[in-house]
Amino acid sequence: MDPNILHNIGYGMYIAASHKGDVLNGQIVNTVFQITSEPVTIAVSINKKNLTHEFIESSSCFSLSILLEDTPLSFIGRFGFKSGREGNKFKGIKFERLASGCPVVSDYSIGYLEAKVVNKVDCGTHTLFIGEMTDSKILKTGRPMTYDYYHQVKRGTTPKTAPTFIKGEEGTAAKDARMKKYRCTVCNYIYDPAIGDPDRGIQPDTAFEGLPEGWVCPVCGADKSQFTKEP
């Protein structure tokens, strides 16, 4: 049985967010889908260990911000590889709170929707929250980022708490053996010299050793000392 077949199922890249009183939190999600059209109901899968899960349980509502293809890895890393228990993920970025109290981001977002929870399904490690849409808005035109684009083009990685995480997978970047690569030991991002780090102006064919002082992992912010050379 080959679990990599699961990568052929279509997913997007979103920020799911909610609140607990005045405290906000959000996280990257990819498992989002529409269930019905009248009324419009949307489902999102959230790991039970995540703070966002706790907030959706408390508020009975959630928002989804749809991310653009040009969203930098650092922005995805803020919401995908950082914990809201350690800091405010919304500090320093553009966002607004909707009538429900849920926050939505305007940075790198095509638009958003808001939903009230009408049902939920216990899926073991995750809960599938089903919500009836109560608000939505298109903020700008652009191409929404797919999960495949995030992996193949952005060279992004998947946290272990994601519903689509596959144990033991190396990521698409590890399969390209043209040049030596370095793996982040924190989030498994792979720096590929053949690609560089376009979001930060690092040109292709820049060796890891030639990265400027102060360069950090574009996903989680780990410094160069936390990278190991790929075999």
Side-chain angles (χ1 to χ4, degrees):
M1 185 166 61
D2 185 357
N4 288 303
I5 188 65
L6 298 173
H7 288 314
N8 293 284
I9 298 175
Y11 301 95
M13 292 290 285
Y14 314 87
I15 293 177
S18 193
H19 69 96
K20 194 171 185 178
D22 292 330
V23 184
L24 311 177
N25 196 60
Q27 66 171 75
I28 295 292
V29 296
N30 53 50
T31 308
V32 172
F33 53 95
Q34 181 179 348
I35 301 174
T36 62
S37 59
E38 293 183 9
V40 177
T41 53
I42 303 292
V44 59
S45 178
I46 305 288
N47 191 287
K48 293 178 181 178
K49 295 180 180 180
N50 292 355
L51 188 62
T52 305
H53 186 282
E54 177 184 327
F55 282 19
I56 296 176
E57 287 272 30
S58 174
S59 66
S60 294
C61 59
F62 61 87
S63 65
L64 293 166
S65 300
I66 304 168
L67 296 181
L68 288 157
E69 277 189 351
D70 62 359
T71 304
L73 284 176
S74 57
F75 190 83
I76 295 173
R78 171 195 287 251
F79 285 94
F81 290 90
K82 305 288 185 181
S83 172
R85 296 183 177 91
E86 299 171 357
N88 181 4
K89 296 184 184 181
F90 288 90
K91 184 178 181 180
I93 68 170
K94 295 178 182 178
F95 73 94
E96 65 173 294
R97 294 190 73 173
L98 304 179
S100 66
C102 292
V104 291
V105 302
S106 51
D107 288 333
Y108 310 111
S109 175
I110 290 176
Y112 64 79
L113 63 88
E114 171 192 61
K116 64 177 181 179
V117 176
V118 294
N119 206 343
K120 57 185 179 180
V121 180
D122 188 330
C123 300
T125 57
H126 290 65
T127 296
L128 189 68
F129 290 103
I130 300 171
E132 182 177 325
M133 190 166 74
T134 53
D135 190 12
S136 63
K137 185 177 182 180
I138 296 175
L139 299 176
K140 57 179 71 77
T141 58
R143 293 177 62 87
M145 186 185 298
T146 65
Y147 195 52
D148 181 66
Y149 185 92
Y150 169 66
H151 274 287
Q152 301 288 347
V153 180
K154 305 291 282 188
R155 299 290 186 173
T157 56
T158 305
K160 292 182 179 180
T161 55
T164 53
F165 176 77
I166 298 175
K167 186 176 180 180
E169 71 173 344
E170 293 186 339
T172 55
K175 297 176 182 177
D176 185 350
R178 290 177 297 166
M179 300 176 70
K180 283 293 182 182
K181 307 172 184 67
Y182 282 74
R183 178 189 294 273
C184 175
T185 58
V186 177
C187 72
N188 282 328
Y189 166 81
I190 295 175
Y191 175 76
D192 184 349
I195 297 171
D197 182 2
D199 287 344
R200 300 188 181 188
I202 305 299
Q203 297 300 313
D205 298 323
T206 301
F208 183 81
E209 294 80 4
L211 292 171
E213 184 177 353
W215 182 87
V216 296
C217 175
V219 176
C220 71
D223 61 37
K224 291 174 67 177
S225 68
Q226 294 176 282
F227 278 72
T228 58
K229 184 185 293 187
E230 285 287 274

